[in-house]
Amino acid sequence: MQAQRLTVASLVITSLDPAAPGGFTLATGGAEPAVAASGTSYLVAWRTGTDDVAAVHVRPATGALVDAAPLTVAGTADHEYGAAVSWDGAQYLVSWTSHPQLSPALATHVRLLPEAAGLGVGTVTDLGIPGQALAAAFDGTYHVLPLLVDGIGGPEVHAVRVSTAGALVDDFVVAPSDVGAPAVARGPGQQLLIAYHAFIDRAPYGPTRHVFGRLVVPCASAAECDDGDPCTVDSCDVAAGGCRHVTYACTPGECEASAVCDGSGGCLTTAQSDGVACADEGLTCTTDACQAGACRHAVQDGWCAISGQCVTAGTVDPADGCRRCDPAASTGAWSPVVGCFDAGAPDAGPTDAPPASDDAPPAASDAPPAPDAPPDAPPAPTDAPPTPTDGSLPPADGPVGAADGGASPDAGAGGTAGGGCGCRAGADAGSPGLVLAAVALALALVGARRRRSRRPCGQRTR
């Protein structure tokens, strides 16, 4: 078995001669090699000419062998072949397949080897799966081995996960029926790509072989990613390649005695004792102390803390004379003064008067009401006598007229004879003022009469 070192300027092998630049011999009489790297060494494993499995460490700088001779990884009487190698950050894992002489039964084995020279203390472990391991990769938690396992419809691709202690974790199906030649590589996070070929004789594929791939992550839910650390938020992110662990911290506040992670991104806190001093808000009228786990700023008796200022009790609001500091009502805002209206004017009460009652008396006029006529006065005449056109007035002491409605014999010139009840103005009532006064008196008497029951003209009230 040979190998050759290549440079960036010479990536094409032009000679298989071990003596060519960069070429060296790893073993004689071997086949089916597999290789993995740790960063400081390589491990190459292969099937020997006697159907055993051997391996050797190689230095990256020179290609020189670290081991003095190839290491025998598996050397039983069974046929052993199909070696695969993976690195988990601390050690190598070598896997292979075996079957007894004259028997088709298959078995998969693994063995852990150290990064340095030698076989270390690792022992061979039979995984108990009748399959053929052809590749291996580490997903960050487990070594993953794709296997060819006999199925009802032909070979199936399975994958097994092996712990860093070399123990079987689980086995799951990657592709069923008539597949082969699986290969695997690690991608982002813990994601793996398993590739294989399959013969499919149905549309739209066949009849021919095709190469397929399947992405594999080591989780299906956040519960499978629990790392036991309460200060990480664990989740299963298939796109990112599997389990994610986001770290956070909990720091107690000034009024908290302790704070611990709850495993879900939150913190469980224990309150500080009430009364413990906390941050001063800068007001002399407040007491700054912890209360129920929070810093409180209690206003002292006789004060208000309004708009970031200390105000003594009873102080009137400069912007509104009807508000003042009243700690009994509020210590954080101006309180209204009861009964105060419009900058100190007393409250006038409601402005809407109740509706007027139907029995309310009529509103008084500007002129005083006329007095009622004496009870014994004769009723006012219904027909007033005409005023003489020559300006003369009848005598003031003339007779009123006959009770039977006849004309008065003493009417004289310019007098007016009237039927029914009548009356005359006095001789001295020649001025317009007296006439108006007489008319007003007559109207008042008419109003008074309307309030009385009707009776025959000239009849007196008894």
Side-chain angles (χ1 to χ4, degrees):
M1 184 179 297
Q2 300 174 351
Q4 186 171 3
R5 296 176 66 245
L6 303 176
T7 64
V8 175
S10 176
L11 292 179
V12 179
I13 299 176
T14 58
S15 172
L16 295 180
D17 183 355
F24 48 90
T25 300
L26 296 174
T28 58
E32 302 171 2
V35 62
S38 68
T40 59
S41 70
Y42 296 99
L43 182 71
V44 181
W46 66 92
R47 181 174 62 112
T48 68
T50 58
D51 286 342
D52 294 327
V53 175
V56 66
H57 295 85
V58 180
R59 291 188 177 92
T62 61
L65 303 183
V66 177
D67 304 291
L71 307 171
T72 301
V73 178
T76 68
D78 295 340
H79 292 288
E80 294 156 328
Y81 58 93
V85 184
S86 60
W87 167 257
D88 63 17
Q91 59 197 345
Y92 291 104
L93 179 140
V94 179
S95 64
W96 68 94
T97 302
S98 71
H99 68 83
Q101 297 285 350
L102 304 178
S103 171
L106 301 177
T108 301
H109 305 271
V110 296
R111 182 170 184 172
L112 299 175
L113 272 70
E115 182 183 20
L119 289 173
V121 296
T123 58
V124 176
T125 301
D126 184 354
L127 298 181
I129 298 176
Q132 181 181 358
L134 299 176
F138 186 69
D139 68 2
T141 303
Y142 303 112
H143 295 274
V144 179
L145 314 176
L147 306 178
L148 278 180
V149 178
D150 286 337
I152 297 176
E156 300 176 347
V157 175
H158 287 220
V160 296
R161 295 194 296 181
V162 180
S163 71
T164 54
L168 176 67
V169 176
D170 55 16
D171 168 23
F172 55 94
V173 176
V174 175
S177 182
D178 204 10
V179 295
V184 63
R186 181 178 175 179
Q190 294 176 287
Q191 186 184 83
L192 298 177
L193 171 63
I194 297 179
Y196 56 93
H197 73 246
F199 178 82
I200 302 177
D201 61 357
R202 66 180 184 274
Y205 302 103
T208 187
R209 282 191 174 92
H210 293 271
V211 177
F212 298 93
R214 175 158 294 185
L215 296 176
V216 178
V217 294
C219 62
S221 66
E224 299 181 35
C225 297
D226 187 2
D227 61 359
D229 185 351
C231 287
T232 61
V233 177
D234 308 315
S235 62
C236 179
D237 189 339
V238 176
C243 293
R244 298 185 62 193
H245 309 284
V246 180
T247 303
Y248 71 99
C250 291
T251 303
E254 62 176 336
C255 286
E256 296 171 345
S258 64
V260 296
C261 302
D262 64 1
S264 300
C267 300
L268 301 175
T269 61
T270 301
Q272 188 66 268
S273 300
D274 290 348
V276 174
C278 59
D280 187 354
E281 67 173 347
L283 295 180
T284 58
C285 59
T286 61
T287 299
D288 310 304
C290 294
Q291 184 72 30
C295 186
R296 308 293 184 186
H297 309 284
V299 180
Q300 299 171 7
D301 293 342
W303 292 88
C304 296
I306 303 174
S307 301
Q309 301 292 328
C310 289
V311 181
T312 56
T315 301
V316 176
D317 182 0
D320 187 343
C322 284
R323 300 194 305 178
R324 66 180 179 180
C325 166
D326 184 0
S330 173
T331 59
W334 296 106
S335 301
V337 178
V338 177
C340 182
F341 178 75
D342 194 16
D347 193 345
T351 58
D352 295 330
S357 172
D358 293 338
D359 298 332
S365 63
D366 294 337
D372 292 339
D376 295 335
T382 57
D383 298 324
T387 303
T389 59
D390 56 356
S392 63
L393 293 176
D397 56 350
V400 174
D404 58 359
S408 172
D410 301 327
T416 303
C421 296
C423 59
R424 299 175 188 162
D428 298 332
S431 66
L434 294 177
V435 174
L436 293 177
V439 173
L441 178 60
L443 293 176
L445 292 175
V446 171
R449 186 182 177 211
R450 288 179 179 176
R451 290 192 296 268
R452 297 176 182 272
S453 61
R454 293 181 178 273
R455 57 184 179 273
C457 184
Q459 181 180 352
R460 297 184 179 180
T461 304
R462 294 180 182 179

